Amino acid sequence: MPTRSARTAWTGGLQDGSGRVELASSGVGTYDVSFPKRTADSAEGTTSPEELIAAAHSSCFAMACSAEIGNAGGTVQSLDVNADVTLGPDPAGGFRLSGIKLTVRGRVSGIDAAGALKAAEAAKAGCPISKALAGVENIELDAAFEA
């Protein structure tokens, strides 16, 4: 299996510095990062590790959910997956990911909504990004399907 890479070039200190993260394997983009903007309500044109994790989790979960629905005998017509990743204080000091909410709305055929929900739960547990994020205390799933 391939290895994918990203690279960040950073200058300055935590509060006054900034960086640029490059999606090196795909070459699809380079994005600004900044700690003050990472912890602000508005990202103001910069990305953050949490947003990049959200992108990874939503896309991985969509793939895993599609596979699990297929394994259950269903066919995905459409999935709309959103991942919200929250940065919060760590009681041990510093910061940690304090929660992730996966929201999926989908249309399926060949199985009922209850079967699709069961598949979504399996996808949440089995997707590689969910597994990698197992240290996050609260990964919540909000799933609704039309059969």
Side-chain angles (χ1 to χ4, degrees), residues 6-20:
R7 176 184 173 272
T8 300
W10 185 270
T11 56
L14 180 63
Q15 294 297 332
D16 65 348
S18 63
R20 300 216 4 111

PDB file of all heavy atoms in Angstrom, residues 6-20:
ATOM      1  N   ALA A   6       2.647  14.844   3.496  1.00  0.00           N
ATOM      2  CA  ALA A   6       2.408  16.285   3.562  1.00  0.00           C
ATOM      3  C   ALA A   6       3.646  16.904   4.197  1.00  0.00           C
ATOM      4  O   ALA A   6       4.374  16.248   4.944  1.00  0.00           O
ATOM      5  CB  ALA A   6       1.165  16.590   4.384  1.00  0.00           C
ATOM      6  N   ARG A   7       3.869  18.172   3.911  1.00  0.00           N
ATOM      7  CA  ARG A   7       5.047  18.871   4.416  1.00  0.00           C
ATOM      8  C   ARG A   7       4.621  20.236   4.909  1.00  0.00           C
ATOM      9  O   ARG A   7       3.819  20.905   4.262  1.00  0.00           O
ATOM     10  CB  ARG A   7       6.064  19.029   3.292  1.00  0.00           C
ATOM     11  CG  ARG A   7       7.280  19.829   3.676  1.00  0.00           C
ATOM     12  CD  ARG A   7       8.216  20.019   2.466  1.00  0.00           C
ATOM     13  NE  ARG A   7       9.282  20.918   2.823  1.00  0.00           N
ATOM     14  CZ  ARG A   7       9.223  22.243   2.711  1.00  0.00           C
ATOM     15  NH1 ARG A   7       8.150  22.821   2.230  1.00  0.00           N
ATOM     16  NH2 ARG A   7      10.240  22.990   3.071  1.00  0.00           N
ATOM     17  N   THR A   8       5.141  20.652   6.049  1.00  0.00           N
ATOM     18  CA  THR A   8       4.873  21.988   6.562  1.00  0.00           C
ATOM     19  C   THR A   8       6.180  22.736   6.743  1.00  0.00           C
ATOM     20  O   THR A   8       7.116  22.226   7.370  1.00  0.00           O
ATOM     21  CB  THR A   8       4.111  21.937   7.900  1.00  0.00           C
ATOM     22  OG1 THR A   8       2.863  21.271   7.691  1.00  0.00           O
ATOM     23  CG2 THR A   8       3.851  23.336   8.437  1.00  0.00           C
ATOM     24  N   ALA A   9       6.236  23.939   6.196  1.00  0.00           N
ATOM     25  CA  ALA A   9       7.359  24.854   6.412  1.00  0.00           C
ATOM     26  C   ALA A   9       6.867  25.929   7.384  1.00  0.00           C
ATOM     27  O   ALA A   9       5.861  26.594   7.116  1.00  0.00           O
ATOM     28  CB  ALA A   9       7.798  25.475   5.092  1.00  0.00           C
ATOM     29  N   TRP A  10       7.540  26.100   8.512  1.00  0.00           N
ATOM     30  CA  TRP A  10       7.113  27.002   9.591  1.00  0.00           C
ATOM     31  C   TRP A  10       8.226  27.979   9.906  1.00  0.00           C
ATOM     32  O   TRP A  10       9.397  27.607   9.945  1.00  0.00           O
ATOM     33  CB  TRP A  10       6.780  26.189  10.840  1.00  0.00           C
ATOM     34  CG  TRP A  10       6.219  27.003  11.951  1.00  0.00           C
ATOM     35  CD1 TRP A  10       6.921  27.632  12.952  1.00  0.00           C
ATOM     36  CD2 TRP A  10       4.853  27.301  12.180  1.00  0.00           C
ATOM     37  NE1 TRP A  10       6.068  28.295  13.784  1.00  0.00           N
ATOM     38  CE2 TRP A  10       4.788  28.105  13.334  1.00  0.00           C
ATOM     39  CE3 TRP A  10       3.669  26.971  11.534  1.00  0.00           C
ATOM     40  CZ2 TRP A  10       3.585  28.581  13.851  1.00  0.00           C
ATOM     41  CZ3 TRP A  10       2.490  27.433  12.047  1.00  0.00           C
ATOM     42  CH2 TRP A  10       2.446  28.226  13.191  1.00  0.00           C
ATOM     43  N   THR A  11       7.860  29.247  10.158  1.00  0.00           N
ATOM     44  CA  THR A  11       8.821  30.245  10.639  1.00  0.00           C
ATOM     45  C   THR A  11       8.229  30.965  11.834  1.00  0.00           C
ATOM     46  O   THR A  11       7.027  31.219  11.885  1.00  0.00           O
ATOM     47  CB  THR A  11       9.175  31.278   9.543  1.00  0.00           C
ATOM     48  OG1 THR A  11       7.980  31.896   9.074  1.00  0.00           O
ATOM     49  CG2 THR A  11       9.891  30.614   8.376  1.00  0.00           C
ATOM     50  N   GLY A  12       9.070  31.297  12.798  1.00  0.00           N
ATOM     51  CA  GLY A  12       8.637  32.064  13.953  1.00  0.00           C
ATOM     52  C   GLY A  12       8.177  31.196  15.109  1.00  0.00           C
ATOM     53  O   GLY A  12       8.210  29.970  15.056  1.00  0.00           O
ATOM     54  N   GLY A  13       7.741  31.889  16.153  1.00  0.00           N
ATOM     55  CA  GLY A  13       7.260  31.224  17.351  1.00  0.00           C
ATOM     56  C   GLY A  13       5.815  30.778  17.203  1.00  0.00           C
ATOM     57  O   GLY A  13       5.177  31.005  16.170  1.00  0.00           O
ATOM     58  N   LEU A  14       5.290  30.187  18.265  1.00  0.00           N
ATOM     59  CA  LEU A  14       3.918  29.669  18.202  1.00  0.00           C
ATOM     60  C   LEU A  14       2.903  30.775  17.961  1.00  0.00           C
ATOM     61  O   LEU A  14       2.041  30.666  17.092  1.00  0.00           O
ATOM     62  CB  LEU A  14       3.581  28.912  19.491  1.00  0.00           C
ATOM     63  CG  LEU A  14       2.170  28.329  19.555  1.00  0.00           C
ATOM     64  CD1 LEU A  14       1.952  27.289  18.465  1.00  0.00           C
ATOM     65  CD2 LEU A  14       1.916  27.738  20.931  1.00  0.00           C
ATOM     66  N   GLN A  15       2.975  31.850  18.728  1.00  0.00           N
ATOM     67  CA  GLN A  15       1.972  32.918  18.636  1.00  0.00           C
ATOM     68  C   GLN A  15       2.206  33.879  17.481  1.00  0.00           C
ATOM     69  O   GLN A  15       1.250  34.416  16.921  1.00  0.00           O
ATOM     70  CB  GLN A  15       1.898  33.695  19.958  1.00  0.00           C
ATOM     71  CG  GLN A  15       1.372  32.873  21.117  1.00  0.00           C
ATOM     72  CD  GLN A  15      -0.057  32.394  20.915  1.00  0.00           C
ATOM     73  OE1 GLN A  15      -0.867  32.999  20.232  1.00  0.00           O
ATOM     74  NE2 GLN A  15      -0.372  31.255  21.528  1.00  0.00           N
ATOM     75  N   ASP A  16       3.465  34.107  17.105  1.00  0.00           N
ATOM     76  CA  ASP A  16       3.735  35.088  16.042  1.00  0.00           C
ATOM     77  C   ASP A  16       4.184  34.444  14.739  1.00  0.00           C
ATOM     78  O   ASP A  16       4.379  35.122  13.737  1.00  0.00           O
ATOM     79  CB  ASP A  16       4.788  36.099  16.492  1.00  0.00           C
ATOM     80  CG  ASP A  16       6.158  35.473  16.731  1.00  0.00           C
ATOM     81  OD1 ASP A  16       6.264  34.239  16.778  1.00  0.00           O
ATOM     82  OD2 ASP A  16       7.133  36.239  16.880  1.00  0.00           O
ATOM     83  N   GLY A  17       4.317  33.133  14.728  1.00  0.00           N
ATOM     84  CA  GLY A  17       4.787  32.451  13.533  1.00  0.00           C
ATOM     85  C   GLY A  17       3.647  32.019  12.634  1.00  0.00           C
ATOM     86  O   GLY A  17       2.470  32.203  12.932  1.00  0.00           O
ATOM     87  N   SER A  18       4.041  31.444  11.516  1.00  0.00           N
ATOM     88  CA  SER A  18       3.060  30.911  10.578  1.00  0.00           C
ATOM     89  C   SER A  18       3.742  29.879   9.702  1.00  0.00           C
ATOM     90  O   SER A  18       4.966  29.770   9.686  1.00  0.00           O
ATOM     91  CB  SER A  18       2.446  32.019   9.726  1.00  0.00           C
ATOM     92  OG  SER A  18       3.449  32.627   8.932  1.00  0.00           O
ATOM     93  N   GLY A  19       2.920  29.153   8.979  1.00  0.00           N
ATOM     94  CA  GLY A  19       3.472  28.132   8.116  1.00  0.00           C
ATOM     95  C   GLY A  19       2.606  27.898   6.903  1.00  0.00           C
ATOM     96  O   GLY A  19       1.555  28.520   6.727  1.00  0.00           O
ATOM     97  N   ARG A  20       3.112  27.001   6.069  1.00  0.00           N
ATOM     98  CA  ARG A  20       2.378  26.576   4.879  1.00  0.00           C
ATOM     99  C   ARG A  20       2.469  25.064   4.827  1.00  0.00           C
ATOM    100  O   ARG A  20       3.565  24.515   4.859  1.00  0.00           O
ATOM    101  CB  ARG A  20       2.965  27.196   3.617  1.00  0.00           C
ATOM    102  CG  ARG A  20       2.914  28.702   3.687  1.00  0.00           C
ATOM    103  CD  ARG A  20       2.647  29.517   2.467  1.00  0.00           C
ATOM    104  NE  ARG A  20       2.352  28.984   1.199  1.00  0.00           N
ATOM    105  CZ  ARG A  20       1.157  29.076   0.600  1.00  0.00           C
ATOM    106  NH1 ARG A  20       0.150  29.641   1.198  1.00  0.00           N
ATOM    107  NH2 ARG A  20       0.968  28.599  -0.613  1.00  0.00           N
TER     108      ARG A  20
END
